[in-house]
Amino acid sequence: MKCVLFYHAFSSCWNNGNAHFLRGVARELHALGHEVIVYEPADGWSRLNAIKDGGNASLREVPALFPGLHTRVYDCTLELDEALDGADLVLVHEWNEPDLVKAIGRRRIADGRFVLLFHDTHHRAVTAPHELGRFDLTGYDGVLAFGEVLREIYLTLGWTSRAFTWHEAADTALYRPLPDIEPQHDLVWIGNWGDNERSAELREFLVAPVASLQLDATIYGVRYPEDALTSMRQAGIRYGGWLPAHRAPQAFAEARVTVHVPRAPYARSLPGIPTIRMFEAMACGIPIVSAPWDDVEGLFPEGTYLRVTNGSGMRDAVRTLLSDREFATDMAATARGAVLARHTCRHRAQELLQIAARLNRADRRAASAQFEGAAS
């Protein structure tokens, strides 16, 4: 098939965790024998900030990591007839502009023989439904939601009549253990501060336990305000700034433990949706302690990570993993096995192809019924 993907950013992962998963799915679709073309705007905020933060160097490194994929950066205008010519499967991410989302839907209605899906990987359906209400999904065959609770919201609000749960996963071609690297630090955390959506949680479950245990710790990410940086310095934490996604496996390999601190909107309003870092850290074989998060969909079996309910619990759990290396190693191995069994980008690519095939069959049945009705 010819798969055409429209995303806010593929070349840049600056404050854009979606890129990790989207790259992996594109890689696996290509590996399964399909043609993959990705479109992204030249003036996307993630791309512009990546260039500002790290120059073009990090963006130039990305294509070599995904051989065979075609990424096309467009300026103000995009010739949709050309972009969609011969397409069999089209994915449109929810960080695209509403006008583009609408225009692609109109092309599908007018002359589209492709399966068209809208992909949502954010909490705006709960925190800012008016923003998603701007999207006209007329012509779309359905919605891919990265959690069951989000799928149900789309159906309940009537934004679509067909929605599918399509969780994120680990790009295991990239996220894997690096046994030749000896751990140098106690703890690493990779994530963005981001709009005060987990400010209190980061202070309770990350900064305070590190300070209490006097750990050798490093934090990577962007959008950290000065008061957060001050708190980190006072806790003895190194701040590494933006770390491009493809360099994260080395950062995980250099540390003995990491933590999972979900943003408040997910933990409170969208249970069952972890951060992408859970999948990636597990794939890299580093043990994890998680702040409060409800795995209502049973993504991760018992014994794959430690769960805590407060900051003191986080402190104790991290101390346990650092002091009991055998326990930590066994838990990390169990977690990696769970990811390899159920949560790789290959799994998600295959799920996507199954969804597309199901929708194609449904369209053929509908067309046949319409023809029979007209004939009678």
Side-chain angles (χ1 to χ4, degrees):
M1 292 197 303
K2 180 178 181 179
C3 306
V4 183
L5 318 179
F6 294 88
Y7 287 100
H8 166 74
F10 185 87
S11 60
S12 169
C13 63
W14 193 98
N15 199 45
N16 179 29
N18 307 135
H20 312 185
F21 173 60
L22 304 177
R23 291 169 177 175
V25 168
R27 180 206 302 280
E28 296 299 339
L29 287 172
H30 179 263
L32 289 167
H34 305 287
E35 180 184 3
V36 181
I37 302 174
V38 184
Y39 285 88
E40 64 172 303
D43 61 352
W45 49 259
S46 179
R47 179 182 174 85
L48 294 181
N49 277 291
I51 294 172
K52 180 180 178 181
D53 202 346
N56 285 308
S58 64
L59 301 188
R60 286 196 298 266
E61 293 173 359
V62 172
L65 298 170
F66 302 92
L69 303 184
H70 305 287
T71 303
R72 297 178 182 170
V73 180
Y74 61 90
D75 292 313
C76 299
T77 58
L78 174 61
E79 182 50 63
L80 280 181
D81 289 338
E82 178 182 340
L84 296 171
D85 183 41
D88 299 294
L89 174 62
V90 178
L91 269 64
V92 182
H93 193 253
E94 50 91 17
W95 277 120
N96 281 291
E97 291 298 321
D99 288 346
L100 178 61
V101 174
K102 180 178 179 179
I104 295 173
R106 292 296 184 270
R107 291 297 199 287
R108 170 70 170 83
I109 294 171
D111 193 31
R113 300 181 180 180
F114 49 84
V115 171
L116 177 59
L117 294 166
F118 185 71
H119 184 204
D120 193 341
T121 59
H122 201 258
H123 57 66
R124 288 193 292 173
V126 171
T127 58
H130 61 283
E131 292 186 15
L132 282 183
R134 297 182 301 151
F135 291 107
D136 182 352
L137 299 184
T138 305
Y140 283 71
D141 294 291
V143 169
L144 299 172
F146 76 146
E148 175 63 19
V149 62
L150 185 60
R151 185 190 76 86
E152 293 173 352
I153 288 172
Y154 268 86
L155 295 174
T156 300
L157 295 180
W159 288 340
T160 184
S161 60
R162 290 187 288 200
F164 307 88
T165 300
W166 198 47
H167 279 287
E168 294 182 314
D171 178 7
T172 50
L174 175 63
Y175 291 92
R176 63 190 189 280
L178 301 176
D180 292 337
I181 297 178
E182 189 71 24
Q184 304 170 23
H185 316 299
D186 294 319
L187 182 146
V188 66
W189 190 74
I190 308 172
N192 306 319
W193 191 265
D195 301 325
N196 291 317
E197 291 178 350
R198 55 183 167 198
S199 303
E201 290 82 359
L202 287 173
R203 288 190 170 94
E204 178 181 2
F205 293 99
L206 180 57
V207 177
V210 168
S212 177
L213 295 171
Q214 297 184 311
L215 300 182
D216 179 357
T218 302
I219 289 178
Y220 296 97
V222 301
R223 302 177 71 188
Y224 280 74
E226 189 55 41
D227 63 319
L229 295 175
T230 299
S231 297
M232 289 159 52
R233 285 192 293 266
Q234 292 172 345
I237 299 172
R238 284 181 300 275
Y239 175 55
W242 176 42
L243 184 72
H246 56 281
R247 301 176 190 166
Q250 179 171 340
F252 282 134
E254 291 174 348
R256 295 178 179 84
V257 65
T258 190
V259 299
H260 174 238
V261 186
R263 295 172 185 257
Y266 296 119
R268 298 170 188 168
S269 302
L270 292 173
I273 301 177
T275 71
I276 186 70
R277 294 297 182 191
M278 280 286 273
F279 299 106
E280 293 170 350
M282 288 182 177
C284 287
I286 183 172
I288 306 170
V289 186
S290 178
W293 167 70
D294 193 358
D295 185 9
V296 296
E297 295 187 54
L299 295 176
F300 306 117
E302 192 71 29
T304 54
Y305 65 100
L306 297 182
R307 303 169 175 84
V308 299
T309 58
N310 52 44
S312 60
M314 176 65 77
R315 179 198 61 213
D316 295 343
V318 169
R319 181 164 50 200
T320 296
L321 290 176
L322 291 175
S323 61
D324 191 337
R325 299 292 177 83
E326 183 178 356
F327 171 64
T329 300
D330 289 346
M331 188 178 76
T334 300
R336 176 166 164 76
V339 166
L340 293 179
R342 300 175 55 192
H343 304 304
T344 69
C345 285
R346 174 61 65 96
H347 289 109
R348 299 300 183 262
Q350 291 171 332
E351 291 169 10
L352 175 61
L353 295 174
Q354 290 169 2
I355 290 170
R358 190 188 319 170
L359 291 171
N360 267 324
R361 288 195 296 270
D363 277 353
R364 286 197 296 271
R365 287 196 297 268
S368 177
Q370 185 178 19
F371 175 78
E372 292 174 359
S376 63

